[in-house]
Amino acid sequence: MENHLVLIEAARHGDRVALERLLAISQPDIRRFAQSQCAGSDTDDAVQETLWLVYQRIGALRTVTSFSAWVFSIVRRECSRLWRQMHGQTELPADDHPAFVYRPEPELREDLIAAIHSLPDRHREVIVLRDIREFSISEIAVELRLSREAVKSRIHRARLMIREYLED
């Protein structure tokens, strides 16, 4: 376990060799977890996407001890995303925005797009991460280097601003 912590810490600080080794060591655990969370044919896709996301975002991980929980939350989210995609719940035209997949009414879609674009950057980014990219509160906190409470507060405030915008 100590070796894993050293690899995680080195990877967080940009050591590419450590990151590649960490991914190779972690892949069997990721695969086992994906097999328990995903529909059978989605396992390989979930593993691949999880490895890619870890590769891209390892620098945002706050503590080495949260690595396993962070990776498993990515696997769960990817399995869920793949299941929805398989059941036709996420396919959109290329020029459409994924935030509005469940909103077929064009006027509402346009209003939601405008409402999200009207948000200040710090509120827009938490809404995009939470409601569009489906990050957990903890993942958003790691990504944005905020406390969980700050993330929850921003999400709440952003949703209120969207509601106010739509009521006007």
Side-chain angles (χ1 to χ4, degrees):
M1 182 62 179
E2 183 65 34
N3 190 28
H4 275 65
L5 297 178
V6 171
L7 283 176
I8 295 166
E9 186 64 27
R12 283 180 55 225
H13 293 291
D15 184 335
R16 187 172 177 181
V17 173
L19 177 56
E20 290 171 1
R21 181 146 167 71
L22 177 64
L23 292 173
I25 290 170
S26 301
Q27 187 172 359
D29 292 332
I30 292 170
R31 179 166 302 287
R32 265 192 306 280
F33 192 67
Q35 286 170 337
S36 73
Q37 297 293 307
C38 291
S41 63
D42 290 343
T43 300
D44 290 337
D45 291 338
V47 170
Q48 192 66 24
E49 189 63 22
T50 299
L51 291 170
W52 176 244
L53 289 170
V54 170
Y55 184 87
Q56 287 181 306
R57 298 180 183 161
I58 189 73
L61 184 67
R62 272 200 168 159
T63 63
V64 295
T65 56
S66 63
F67 177 77
S68 293
W70 178 64
V71 169
F72 291 147
S73 69
I74 294 171
V75 172
R76 267 192 310 276
R77 190 178 62 252
E78 284 307 308
C79 289
S80 175
R81 183 187 63 78
L82 290 166
W83 184 90
R84 286 190 321 275
Q85 186 175 23
M86 184 172 54
H87 289 85
Q89 295 179 358
T90 59
E91 292 300 317
L92 297 172
D95 63 342
D96 207 344
H97 195 282
F100 313 107
V101 67
Y102 302 110
R103 303 290 185 204
E105 307 86 6
E107 297 83 19
L108 180 56
R109 223 179 11 226
E110 290 170 13
D111 288 343
L112 285 171
I113 290 169
I116 290 172
H117 282 293
S118 75
L119 294 173
D121 289 342
R122 67 188 197 148
H123 290 98
R124 186 180 326 113
E125 78 184 336
V126 296
I127 286 296
V128 168
L129 290 173
R130 181 66 175 163
D131 294 339
I132 297 171
R133 296 187 62 197
E134 299 180 339
F135 279 35
S136 70
I137 299 295
S138 296
E139 289 170 324
I140 296 169
V142 168
E143 183 80 13
L144 300 179
R145 299 179 192 268
L146 297 169
S147 69
R148 288 176 46 86
E149 293 74 22
V151 169
K152 289 178 188 180
S153 176
R154 284 188 187 182
I155 290 170
H156 177 72
R157 181 68 184 130
R159 288 178 178 162
L160 287 175
M161 286 189 275
I162 289 172
R163 185 175 302 130
E164 289 170 8
Y165 183 95
L166 294 173
E167 288 174 354
D168 287 346

